[in-house]
Amino acid sequence: VSDASGCSMIAFLHTGAAKFPQNLLSRSRQAVSPLFPAGVLKGFSSVISRKLASHGFGASMAAMSSFPPQRYHYFLVLDFEATCDKPQIHPQEIIEFPILKLNGRTMEIESTFHMYVQPVVHPQLTPFCTELTGIIQGMVDGQPSLQQVLERVDEWMAKEGLLDPSVKSIFVTCGDWDLKVMLPGQCQYLGLPVADYFKQWINLKKAYSFAMGSWPKNGLLDMNKGLNLQHIGRPHSGIDDCKNIANIMKTLAHRGFIFKQTSKPF
């Protein structure tokens, strides 16, 4: 049974069951079922599902039906790792620069930017830094400078369509340190400009506290525990922390949370 567009009424009855009024759904099934042998309805809807999936619609349609509309087309999940020691060294320098592009409709990762950065003021990583982050000296030696990495970020943003004025995107960090302290502080030290897209963000800790009613004192560990999520990868690995942030965001969105900017305008 098809309409003018060729869409199957059977597929509608199958995929729309969750939202279709139960009394009408029952009557519709009763009206259609005599036309087909037992099991055909189920089999036909499975075929439709496979056809949609083959064209890339399966996961996205399911995800779109699960999440409320967000205010942004894309969330850009970011988590720096930087040179460090006890007592703390100054200035700190970014040594890992990861970004995950998260689709605001499906909350799935669509693209990844990930580079290591060579520090110039304190080029030798401390044992404390390596133990904390898992980043060894060979991972930063010979890597691009922060200026070069920022240029590549801009190229990636352009390639991903994120610089289009009609596309709404915002960075997401676990805390305010990354974009309020670390990046502008190092850029000021090096005499580099800070792109406007780095000047507004969502602090996941604040978003979590709004959604769950408690402040995550231990950051990602507390948020994963509060949401019954398994921690992904190694703590204080920038790219792994980004994956945890993305997973927490997806879970909160699934619960109906709408993400909003938390940073104040510069």
Side-chain angles (χ1 to χ4, degrees):
V1 182
S2 300
D3 60 15
S5 65
C7 294
S8 170
M9 180 61 73
I10 297 168
F12 170 76
L13 292 175
H14 176 72
T15 58
K19 297 182 180 179
F20 204 64
Q22 288 301 310
N23 60 332
L24 296 180
L25 180 62
S26 177
R27 293 177 187 176
S28 300
R29 281 175 172 161
Q30 289 172 8
V32 173
S33 58
L35 302 176
F36 301 95
V40 169
L41 286 176
K42 183 177 180 181
F44 193 82
S45 61
S46 298
V47 171
I48 294 294
S49 298
R50 288 197 297 272
K51 289 289 186 181
L52 288 171
S54 70
H55 291 283
F57 290 114
S60 61
M61 288 182 69
M64 287 171 67
S65 67
S66 302
F67 302 115
Q70 294 289 335
R71 296 186 170 194
Y72 298 92
H73 297 112
Y74 296 100
F75 297 104
L76 306 176
V77 180
L78 176 149
D79 190 273
F80 295 139
E81 297 305 325
T83 54
C84 54
D85 202 1
K86 282 192 173 183
Q88 189 59 273
I89 57 176
H90 297 283
Q92 284 188 276
E93 300 171 84
I94 295 168
I95 54 175
E96 186 180 6
F97 204 127
I99 307 172
L100 299 181
K101 179 188 176 187
L102 204 63
N103 187 302
R105 292 179 297 110
T106 65
M107 302 304 284
E108 297 291 342
I109 298 167
E110 285 194 355
S111 182
T112 301
F113 178 92
H114 186 212
M115 293 189 71
Y116 291 99
V117 191
Q118 180 166 312
V120 294
V121 182
H122 301 286
Q124 193 70 30
L125 302 183
T126 65
F128 174 84
C129 182
T130 293
E131 182 179 353
L132 180 69
T133 66
I135 299 173
I136 62 173
Q137 192 65 41
M139 295 166 72
V140 297
D141 284 345
Q143 295 301 311
S145 65
L146 180 63
Q147 180 177 359
Q148 293 170 320
V149 171
L150 289 173
E151 290 170 355
R152 295 189 189 182
V153 168
D154 202 67
E155 292 170 358
W156 178 79
M157 295 275 287
K159 179 175 70 72
E160 295 294 328
L162 297 167
L163 302 184
D164 184 335
S166 66
V167 176
K168 293 186 65 178
S169 64
I170 189 167
F171 279 90
V172 183
T173 58
C174 184
D176 292 320
W177 175 83
D178 300 81
L179 293 177
K180 187 176 183 179
V181 177
M182 187 62 240
L183 182 63
Q186 189 177 358
C187 284
Q188 182 179 25
Y189 183 89
L190 297 173
L192 301 174
V194 178
D196 286 342
Y197 47 71
F198 286 126
K199 296 181 180 180
Q200 49 276 319
W201 63 89
I202 295 169
N203 178 345
L204 184 64
K205 292 180 182 179
K206 290 182 180 178
Y208 177 90
S209 68
F210 297 152
M212 303 295 289
S214 62
W215 183 260
K217 294 180 181 180
N218 294 314
L220 293 175
L221 296 177
D222 280 358
M223 288 186 273
N224 276 327
K225 184 177 180 180
L227 294 169
N228 295 315
L229 298 175
Q230 188 71 32
H231 191 86
I232 299 170
R234 185 189 196 283
H236 301 295
S237 157
I239 190 65
D240 288 347
D241 284 352
C242 283
K243 293 174 183 177
N244 281 285
I245 293 171
N247 200 30
I248 291 165
M249 291 184 69
K250 182 177 180 178
T251 303
L252 291 177
H254 187 72
R255 295 184 176 204
F257 186 75
I258 306 296
F259 291 92
K260 303 174 184 177
Q261 177 178 331
T262 61
S263 65
K264 295 179 180 180
F266 273 48

